[in-house]
Amino acid sequence: MIDLKFLRDNPDVVRESQRTRGEDPALVDRLLDADARRRDAIAKADALRAEHKGFGKKIGAASKEERPALLEEAKAFSGRVKDAENEQRDAEAAVHDLQMQLGNIVAGAPAGGEDDYVVLEHVGEVPEFDFEPKDHLDLGEALGLIDMERGAKVSGSRFYFLTGAGAMLQLGMLNLAAQKAMQHGFQLMIPPVLVRPETMAGTGFLGAHADEIYHLEEDDLYLVGTSEVALAGYHADEIIDLSDGPVRYAGWSSCFRREAGSYGKDTRGILRVHQFDKVEMFSYCKPEDAEAEHQKLLDMERDMLSAVEVPYRIIDIAGGDLGSSAARKFDTEAWVPSQNTYRELTSTSNCTTFQARRLKTRYRDDNGGTQFCATLNGTLATTRWLVAILENNQRADGSVVVPEALRPFVGRDVLEPVAKPKNAPKSGAKKKG
């Protein structure tokens, strides 16, 4: 949530942020009005409490004859105090509700929606093949890496098995990401994948995109779509030490997304699935250090993408596609030969103090006072990367060259097509899901 003092002092900045996001700037005025009512309610309740407290002294000094009338008056006054406190609670709840609806203040992102990003940089050369390139699923099945059919049989559509060298390729990629993160001062974490509602709401994921999240109603727990959620909640209600610089974590976890509203989009293969694994970077820092930290996360993503040998571009995401918690977000998109276009592999977001205010995560400034931290996140590797790795490193005979950095983990330089096993699913077998 945003700082109410900043809102009062800079309403036009927040209105413009809303317009950049493609959202209603009138929400700013509704929040300002609610905040004014809240402050009036607080002042009224404080004044009545002080006056009521004075009645106690008055009763103590009163004569025996005066006391019964004063006690009756104090009782009536107590009711007025209670009414004022109820009014204060209602006013504060109204402000909180509106605050939770307002996205973070956009910082430097272009205006517009999903297609209004700005391309910042191209890295690597797009491969030119003298044959018709296969897509990642055809390659993965022929190489014995991916089994979508049995994934659908076991769990429904958009589930899969990574098999043999496919499993090793993913584990190698994630291990490489974990090693790089630790070399850069990130503490490796394996966090919970189920979180409480207050943690999910605190990170900003229970707003417009709540339908993307799996909810276990009986337990009132949510399956995370990114370990960012658990890592953001790790220091909730705490004062952390930032005197030596940012505190950095790298979370390795399985992630879950319902992909609501995406039916018919990217249903083939593992581009858009319900379960995947990911190494996610998460930083806590002082607000004045957030921009530099954002560039550090982006540079680490550059390094990792270069290590897995895929061409990519970096784009500056437009305000309407940011998500409520991000003030700015950079996506890295890898070239996907079978689609003749770039597709998102990673993102890194600067959430400024938005999440920390919700989760009450603070640090001590040089004067000993407490301030809200800035939080940032960025993906260092995820299952979707296999799409780009396989397609960009394929050869005419259907084999795939393993990127050099992953060979120690996979144990092979080249992945060769395998003979279809005797117990493979029969052609035309009915799929479930």
Side-chain angles (χ1 to χ4, degrees), residues 145-175:
L145 312 178
I146 303 170
D147 191 335
M148 297 295 299
E149 189 166 353
R150 286 194 175 98
K153 178 181 70 174
V154 170
S155 302
S157 62
R158 305 203 190 196
F159 287 94
Y160 57 94
F161 285 87
L162 292 180
T163 55
M168 294 304 298
L169 192 62
Q170 171 163 291
L171 286 172
M173 177 180 63
L174 296 175
N175 268 293

Side-chain angles (χ1 to χ4, degrees), residues 196-229:
R196 292 176 169 174
E198 55 267 31
T199 303
M200 189 64 79
T203 50
F205 284 96
L206 287 186
H209 301 290
D211 59 353
E212 284 283 336
I213 304 167
Y214 286 103
H215 182 217
L216 281 65
E217 291 187 13
E218 187 171 339
D219 303 288
D220 198 19
L221 293 171
Y222 290 89
L223 278 167
V224 299
T226 168
S227 56
E228 169 195 344
V229 178

Side-chain angles (χ1 to χ4, degrees), residues 73-180:
E73 191 176 350
K75 185 177 179 182
F77 208 97
S78 180
R80 291 172 59 195
V81 171
K82 185 176 181 180
D83 289 343
E85 288 175 340
N86 289 336
E87 183 180 336
Q88 177 183 335
R89 278 192 293 270
D90 290 344
E92 288 173 339
V95 168
H96 183 265
D97 180 62
L98 289 168
Q99 269 189 292
M100 296 295 278
Q101 296 176 42
L102 195 65
N104 200 355
I105 299 167
V106 176
E114 184 178 358
D115 298 324
D116 297 308
Y117 56 81
V118 173
V119 178
L120 301 177
E121 183 180 356
H122 285 88
V123 180
E125 294 186 8
V126 170
E128 295 184 6
F129 300 107
D130 56 4
F131 58 91
E132 185 67 27
K134 297 179 180 179
D135 76 2
H136 73 281
L137 184 56
D138 285 340
L139 289 165
E141 289 179 336
L143 296 168
L145 312 178
I146 303 170
D147 191 335
M148 297 295 299
E149 189 166 353
R150 286 194 175 98
K153 178 181 70 174
V154 170
S155 302
S157 62
R158 305 203 190 196
F159 287 94
Y160 57 94
F161 285 87
L162 292 180
T163 55
M168 294 304 298
L169 192 62
Q170 171 163 291
L171 286 172
M173 177 180 63
L174 296 175
N175 268 293
L176 180 63
Q179 289 180 358
K180 285 181 175 293

Side-chain angles (χ1 to χ4, degrees), residues 14-46:
V14 186
R15 290 188 192 99
E16 185 59 30
S17 175
Q18 286 290 94
R19 282 189 282 268
T20 300
R21 287 180 172 276
E23 296 179 2
D24 186 6
L27 178 59
V28 175
D29 298 293
R30 293 200 296 273
L31 180 51
L32 285 169
D33 289 343
D35 181 48
R37 290 193 296 271
R38 177 188 67 89
R39 286 184 291 153
D40 286 345
I42 291 172
K44 178 182 175 181
D46 285 346

